């Protein structure tokens, strides 16, 4: 079953949290010259038009990237935010006010940072999303297929280092266990791999089992970064965005704090709840 389409959610608060950590991780990894292979197991469309029917139906981007743009002046001093705003400017060159039409998905964020010797492979299983992805220039090498099986098949990479982003829709609850198994397989083939795993924070709390599985199965350090922007109430509805970083770059924890803390007060009037960033180590070495 593939009914999820990221166009309804592109540019929301969870995307901002996820993409900032993606950019910060890549910038830190690129402090060393050796080449990196970036894998993106669940690519989506690559670029989102926020004027289209999907984005307009939910309006989620207004409480994410649009909010960020309204606070641009106080954020833009940090190099990760600078990169974030520069990419938005490049994609939206004629917008003089603080509104944007185009928001990049993870393949485009990575393509905007990849260096000449780096490699970039992205997987997408939804036929329509895959077709849209192949029409954009900045996406890396596109594979039509299952990203969890696909990434494992391509390891070890030819480059000395690798970074994998795993960002499923979790439409089926079996995906949590499938993600944990895939990360275990990646780490068995490449002990030094860095892996970013996004998960939704939902009242059912299914992510907790995945976290326990990863904690017990891996030997590598794992940092957990969670943005809580809503009260966790009722049986449905996402109240936060979670990211795990396996083998995180040095000092990324403090950097995520610096990036996210100035933004947190902006969420409060929108969600009627004080937003919090909670970070902890699931494993140190
Ligand atoms: N990573 C994207 C970003 O940050 O812009 C968003 C990805 S979206 C949350 C998840 C995507 O994974 C959807 O486009 C969906 O069609 C795709 N998908 C679902 N199952 C998949 C699988 N097994 N392998 C590859 N892609 C899959």
């Amino acid at each position: 079953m593939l009914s999820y389409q990221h166009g309804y959610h592109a540019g929301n608060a969870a995307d901002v949290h996820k993409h900032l950590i993606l950019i910060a991780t890549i910038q830190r990894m690129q402090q060393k010259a050796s080449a990196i292979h970036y894998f993106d197991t669940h690519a989506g469309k690559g670029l989102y038009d926020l004027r289209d029917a999907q984005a307009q139906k939910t309006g989620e981007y207004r409480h994410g990237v649009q909010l960020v743009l309204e606070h641009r002046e106080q954020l833009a001093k940090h190099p990760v935010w600078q990169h974030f705003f520069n990419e938005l400017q490049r994609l939206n060159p004629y917008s003089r006010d603080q509104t944007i039409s185009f928001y990049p998905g993870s393949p485009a964020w990575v393509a905007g940072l990849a260096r000449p010797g780096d490699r970039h492979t992205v997987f997408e299983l939804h036929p329509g999303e895959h077709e849209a992805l192949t029409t954009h220039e900045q996406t890396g090498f596109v594979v039509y297929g299952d990203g969890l099986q696909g990434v494992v098949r391509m390891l070890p990479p030819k480059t000395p280092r690798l970074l994998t982003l795993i960002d499923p829709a979790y439409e089926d609850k079996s995906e949590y266990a499938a993600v944990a198994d895939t990360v275990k397989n990646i780490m068995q083939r490449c002990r030094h791999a860095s892996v970013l795993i996004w998960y939704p924070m939902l009242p059912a709390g299914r992510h907790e089992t995945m976290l326990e599985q990863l904690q017990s199965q891996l030997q590598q350090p794992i940092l957990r970064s969670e943005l809580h922007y809503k009260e966790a109430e009722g049986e449905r509805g996402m109240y936060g965005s979670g990211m795990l970083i396996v083998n995180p770059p040095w000092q990324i924890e403090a950097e995520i704090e610096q990036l996210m803390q100035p933004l947190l007060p902006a969420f409060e009037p929108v969600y009627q709840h004080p937003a919090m960033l909670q970070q902890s180590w699931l494993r140190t070495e």
Side-chain angles (χ1 to χ4, degrees), residues 202-206 232-239:
L202 294 159
R206 293 208 172 90
E233 58 188 3
E235 288 175 16
R236 294 167 65 86
M238 201 166 94
Y239 64 88

Side-chain angles (χ1 to χ4, degrees), residues 2 4 6 18-19 41-44 105-106 124-126 145-147 167:
L2 278 175
Y4 179 92
H6 196 63
K18 170 180 67 189
H19 293 149
T41 58
H42 297 71
S106 51
E124 176 53 53
L125 196 55
H126 187 292
D146 182 299
D167 181 21

Side-chain angles (χ1 to χ4, degrees), residues 1-7 9-11 15 18-19 22 40-48 103-109 122-127 129-130 143-150 165-171 175 198:
M1 180 189 65
L2 278 175
S3 56
Y4 179 92
Q5 286 179 285
H6 196 63
H9 313 290
D15 255 11
K18 170 180 67 189
H19 293 149
L22 177 65
D40 192 341
T41 58
H42 297 71
K45 272 204 299 203
L47 186 69
Y48 297 91
Y103 182 76
S106 51
W109 286 113
V122 311
F123 300 87
E124 176 53 53
L125 196 55
H126 187 292
E129 301 293 89
H130 169 261
V143 180
Y144 177 45
D146 182 299
L148 295 179
Q149 291 171 19
L165 170 66
I166 302 183
D167 181 21
Y170 299 97
E171 281 184 285
E175 282 183 271
W198 182 83

Side-chain angles (χ1 to χ4, degrees), residues 110-226:
V110 174
L113 285 160
R115 302 162 300 179
D118 291 339
R119 291 176 176 225
H120 182 196
T121 306
V122 311
F123 300 87
E124 176 53 53
L125 196 55
H126 187 292
E129 301 293 89
H130 169 261
E131 196 184 333
L133 182 60
T134 54
T135 63
H136 300 305
E137 288 168 26
Q138 278 211 305
T139 50
F141 178 71
V142 181
V143 180
Y144 177 45
D146 182 299
L148 295 179
Q149 291 171 19
V151 66
V152 174
R153 269 202 298 270
M154 291 181 79
L155 298 182
K158 294 206 171 84
T159 55
R161 292 182 297 151
L162 81 142
L163 173 67
T164 300
L165 170 66
I166 302 183
D167 181 21
Y170 299 97
E171 281 184 285
D172 185 316
K173 56 181 186 243
S174 66
E175 282 183 271
Y176 293 93
V179 169
D181 288 344
T182 302
V183 179
K184 184 176 156 204
N185 286 333
I186 292 173
M187 302 319 289
Q188 278 172 348
R189 284 164 176 76
C190 296
R191 291 183 51 78
H192 62 286
S194 291
V195 184
L196 302 175
I197 304 140
W198 182 83
Y199 55 92
M201 305 196 60
L202 294 159
R206 293 208 172 90
H207 60 278
E208 292 294 350
T209 317
M210 178 176 83
L211 268 52
E212 282 160 21
Q213 220 175 314
L214 288 166
Q215 195 171 25
S216 64
Q217 286 176 347
L218 303 189
Q219 264 83 57
Q220 289 80 3
I222 311 174
L223 177 67
R224 166 188 195 167
S225 172
E226 290 181 350

